[in-house]
């Protein structure tokens, strides 16, 4: 990176305390799955995605031919990340990245992102003034971190530069290439909603456990609106709100969603919105008619689990993978249905035995 590029990009910048405050407090993923889903996977976004699929059909077809990624998968991310370019962020990405690179929490990670942002400028894709985005340094209509922009950005409209802020063709091609790089399997499904019986071996309902689809059918799992094939395609049964809430079969391609964003709530929302854009039926709010613990109760639960030696990560009120894993283990020990979803009954049992 040339000295003049460094001066051009971060010369004279000062840390942004607002960025640090946002990094310390991210409460967005502390909502229940159904609350999050209906706030983000709106009917309007589904219709907008369908209109984009029709308007840019030749570009989507080209991207699927080259990278194997269907158009609805791209539009699902496009909708959630920026409302198709309507909300890409309003902050200086370079100042945000410099602040996070200087801050102690994830400095090494963001120093590499800052250098990648400088290389984007050096390559001629964007000027520093054009690098406006989110507080965490993401850029463009599908919110790429600078290293992803640098490594997977494609000049799909042939104008000589990668512009993920203004060029819809570049957005489609680059997003397809990035998804493909994470291991997307051409021609395979990613997720579908299912109905479960009341007598499943609940401990098998785990994203880490993949069984042939025929096994789920044998246990009474049924498709929604269509027959579920009893074949050997590997699938995980995912119950984001426990055995009484919505249920999904997640296929190997769903792993891409959890690589894109580690939040199971986000990954399921993006994946099912994409499935709707491809013709699947919507969820209903009744699917989430489940008694759920609130933010403070989940924090209390995490504290009790941590005291018992479980690694639940930060006590943050979010029902993340570590907390779900610990909940499942305790449910098995207490003889409760091991669906990895905490209830008031489980919280009471933990308090009584603490």
């Amino acid at each position: 990176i040339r000295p003049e590029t460094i001066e051009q990009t971060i010369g004279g910048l000062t840390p942004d305390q607002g960025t640090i405050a946002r990094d310390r407090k991210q409460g967005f993923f502390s909502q229940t799955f159904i609350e999050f889903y209906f706030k983000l996977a709106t009917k309007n976004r589904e219709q907008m995605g369908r209109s984009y699929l029709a308007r840019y059909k030749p570009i989507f077809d080209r991207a699927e031919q080259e990278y194997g990624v269907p158009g609805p998968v791209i539009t699902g991310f496009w909708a959630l990340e920026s409302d198709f370019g309507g909300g890409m962020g309003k902050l200086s990405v370079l100042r945000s990245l410099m602040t996070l690179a200087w801050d102690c929490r994830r400095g090494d990670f963001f120093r590499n992102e800052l250098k990648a942002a400088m290389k984007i400028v050096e390559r001629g894709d964007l000027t520093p003034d054009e690098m406006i985005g989110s507080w965490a340094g993401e850029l463009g209509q599908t919110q790429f971190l600078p290293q992803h922009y640098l490594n997977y950005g494609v000049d799909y409209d042939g104008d000589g530069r990668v512009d993920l802020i203004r060029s819809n063709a570049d957005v489609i091609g680059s997003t397809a290439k990035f998804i493909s790089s994470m291991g997307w399997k051409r021609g395979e499904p990613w997720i579908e909603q299912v109905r479960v019986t009341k007598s499943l071996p609940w401990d098998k309902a785990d994203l880490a456990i993949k069984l042939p689809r025929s096994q789920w059918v044998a246990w009474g799992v049924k498709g929604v609106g269509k027959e579920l094939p009893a074949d050997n395609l590997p699938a995980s049964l995912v119950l984001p709100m426990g055995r009484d809430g919505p249920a999904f079969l997640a296929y190997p391609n769903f792993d891409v969603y959890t690589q894109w964003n580690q939040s199971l709530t986000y990954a399921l929302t993006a994946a099912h919105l994409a499935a709707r854009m491809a013709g699947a039926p919507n969820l209903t709010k009744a699917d989430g008619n489940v008694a759920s613990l609130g933010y403070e109760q989940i924090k209390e639960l995490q504290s009790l689990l941590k005291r018992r030696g479980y690694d639940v990560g930060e006590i943050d009120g979010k029902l993340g993978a570590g907390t779900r894993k610990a909940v499942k283990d305790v449910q098995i020990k207490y003889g409760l249905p091991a669906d990895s979803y905490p209830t008031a009954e489980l919280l009471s049992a933990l308090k009584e035995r603490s």
Side-chain angles (χ1 to χ4, degrees):
I1 301 168
R2 295 189 300 267
E4 53 267 34
T5 304
I6 297 171
E7 182 58 34
Q8 181 190 8
T9 52
I10 64 169
L13 290 185
T14 56
D16 178 12
Q17 294 299 328
T19 293
I20 295 172
R22 286 184 178 97
D23 183 57
R24 294 291 188 273
K25 187 181 181 184
Q26 300 180 50
F28 195 50
F29 295 112
S30 61
Q31 304 169 79
T32 68
F33 165 71
I34 214 75
E35 288 169 342
F36 185 92
Y37 181 90
F38 278 101
K39 278 180 188 171
L40 274 80
T42 62
K43 189 70 179 171
N44 183 57
R45 282 178 168 169
E46 179 189 339
Q47 291 168 343
M48 190 82 166
R50 289 176 185 270
S51 75
Y52 268 57
L53 288 167
R55 190 187 317 171
Y56 299 108
K57 187 177 185 305
I59 304 172
F60 281 113
D61 288 348
R62 176 187 164 198
E64 184 165 9
Q65 185 178 357
E66 289 185 20
Y67 300 111
V69 180
V73 174
I74 298 167
T75 51
F77 283 122
W78 204 346
L80 291 196
E81 292 293 343
S82 76
D83 251 339
F84 299 97
M88 291 182 278
K90 298 178 180 178
L91 299 172
S92 163
V93 161
L94 288 162
R95 189 180 184 204
S96 294
L97 289 171
M98 190 207 67
T99 300
L100 293 165
W102 162 80
D103 184 41
C104 62
R105 197 168 84 88
R106 292 184 287 168
D108 286 345
F109 176 82
F110 282 106
R111 279 188 280 279
N112 287 324
E113 294 299 338
L114 179 58
K115 286 185 275 190
M118 292 177 184
K119 289 175 183 175
I120 290 168
V121 172
E122 232 169 41
R123 193 167 70 177
D125 293 335
L126 299 173
T127 66
D129 289 343
E130 290 172 326
M131 298 182 96
I132 302 299
S134 80
W135 67 267
E138 292 106 346
L139 279 163
Q141 297 193 36
T142 46
Q143 294 288 277
F144 275 24
L145 282 164
Q147 288 195 86
H148 296 149
Y149 197 122
L150 192 67
N151 295 327
Y152 302 106
V154 182
D155 174 19
Y156 232 44
D157 61 12
D159 70 351
R161 66 176 188 152
V162 178
D163 185 351
L164 303 186
I165 292 174
R166 285 171 294 264
S167 170
N168 287 345
D170 288 4
V171 169
I172 293 166
S174 302
T175 306
K177 183 178 181 181
F178 180 43
I179 291 169
S180 174
S181 78
M182 291 189 278
W184 187 269
K185 293 175 170 59
R186 184 187 293 269
E188 290 191 12
W190 54 97
I191 201 168
E192 67 178 309
Q193 188 188 9
V194 293
R195 302 283 182 220
V196 296
T197 69
K198 295 295 179 187
S199 56
L200 274 169
W202 298 112
D203 60 316
K204 303 297 184 189
D206 191 317
L207 197 54
I209 297 173
K210 289 182 170 67
L211 298 171
R213 193 154 50 176
S214 57
Q215 179 63 74
W216 298 115
V217 172
W219 281 334
V221 175
K222 296 185 183 300
V224 174
K226 63 175 184 175
E227 191 94 2
L228 200 60
D231 57 18
N232 288 323
L233 185 66
S236 301
L237 181 63
V238 183
L239 306 172
M241 298 181 70
R243 64 196 186 282
D244 297 320
F248 302 92
L249 281 187
Y251 301 109
N253 275 337
F254 183 72
D255 294 347
V256 167
Y257 283 88
T258 54
Q259 287 182 66
W260 184 292
N261 189 309
Q262 291 179 357
S263 162
L264 180 64
T265 295
Y266 176 96
L268 286 171
T269 299
H272 195 261
L273 178 58
R276 279 165 51 193
M277 290 173 180
N282 199 350
L283 300 181
T284 67
K285 290 194 176 175
D287 289 318
N289 190 16
V290 177
S292 300
L293 299 183
Y295 174 73
E296 291 299 333
Q297 288 175 304
I298 292 177
K299 283 178 71 175
E300 184 181 11
L301 174 87
Q302 289 172 323
S303 295
L304 290 166
L305 291 169
K306 197 165 190 173
R307 263 186 251 159
R308 282 168 168 72
Y310 289 104
D311 179 11
V312 297
E314 196 177 339
I315 307 297
D316 56 7
K318 300 175 196 172
L319 194 55
T323 303
R324 286 179 182 272
K325 185 177 178 183
V327 165
K328 179 179 175 179
D329 191 64
V330 171
Q331 286 171 329
I332 291 169
K333 285 178 180 174
Y334 290 2
L336 299 169
D339 61 3
S340 307
Y341 195 67
T343 59
E345 179 188 13
L346 179 66
L347 183 59
S348 295
L350 279 167
K351 286 197 280 192
E352 284 169 12
R353 303 183 196 198
S354 61

